[in-house]
């Protein structure tokens, strides 16, 4: 036996479908990846020029006693974030390098035996492409540099917070 749907049942189904369609269309129109999976996923939406450049975000840390920066892998298990999360916030990180502090705290918590972090640097490694292949040495563009005070503290307190 088939029963007809009442108005309330039909209404909320139509409303839910309209809301989902509005979010989907909004994500496409705003061209944002923030609404994943309903956005445009712009990194896949068009072909790349095979003779252009390609950039990769690189995270580096200078540890206590070291003169040079050490590349640090960007992953949940290493610093609590993935590269795409950093890539989507490069402009904000340029304006406010203090946004890198949680990465230093996360690294210190995930690697308790590591030396204390003195500085954290975010860069873009840029490769020139010719016919789709990287040629020559990469160039680097500095995005943000942050001196880290107290990143190795178990409570994550900075030197300023303790004063």
């Amino acid at each position: 036996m088939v029963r007809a749907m009442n108005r309330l049942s039909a209404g909320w189904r139509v409303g839910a479908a309209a809301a989902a369609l509005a979010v989907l269309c909004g994500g496409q129109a705003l061209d944002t990846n923030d609404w994943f999976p309903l956005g445009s996923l712009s990194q896949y939406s068009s072909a790349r020029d095979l003779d252009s450049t390609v950039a990769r975000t690189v995270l580096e840390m200078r540890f206590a006693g070291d003169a040079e920066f050490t590349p640090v892998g960007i992953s949940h298990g290493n610093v609590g974030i993935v590269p795409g999360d950093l890539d989507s916030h490069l402009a904000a990180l340029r304006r406010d390098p203090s946004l890198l502090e949680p990465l230093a705290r996360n690294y210190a918590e995930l690697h308790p035996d590591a030396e204390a972090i003195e500085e954290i640097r975010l860069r873009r490694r840029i490769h020139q492409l010719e016919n789709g292949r990287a040629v020559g040495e990469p160039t680097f563009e500095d995005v943000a540099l942050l001196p880290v005070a107290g990143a190795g503290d178990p409570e994550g307190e900075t030197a300023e917070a303790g004063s």
Side-chain angles (χ1 to χ4, degrees), residues 48-112:
R48 299 228 10 121
D49 179 2
L50 296 180
D51 293 321
S52 64
T53 60
V54 64
R56 178 177 175 217
T57 301
V58 178
L59 182 66
E60 299 172 332
M61 295 181 184
R62 191 174 60 75
F63 297 95
D66 291 346
E68 301 293 321
F69 281 87
T70 302
V72 174
I74 306 170
S75 68
H76 282 293
N78 213 24
V79 291
I81 197 168
V82 294
D85 293 331
L86 287 176
D87 291 338
S88 64
H89 293 93
L90 289 177
L93 290 162
R94 281 184 210 279
R95 287 189 307 271
D96 185 5
S98 71
L99 295 173
L100 292 172
E101 281 183 29
L103 301 183
R105 282 196 307 273
N106 289 347
Y107 187 88
E109 288 175 13
L110 293 167
H111 304 278

Side-chain angles (χ1 to χ4, degrees), residues 122-144:
L122 190 64
R123 305 172 92 191
R124 299 285 282 164
R125 181 182 358 208
I126 303 167
H127 283 278
Q128 179 63 45
L129 298 179
E130 283 184 15
N131 201 23
R133 296 191 180 268
V135 294
E137 292 297 314
T139 59
F140 289 88
E141 171 192 352
D142 290 337
V143 175

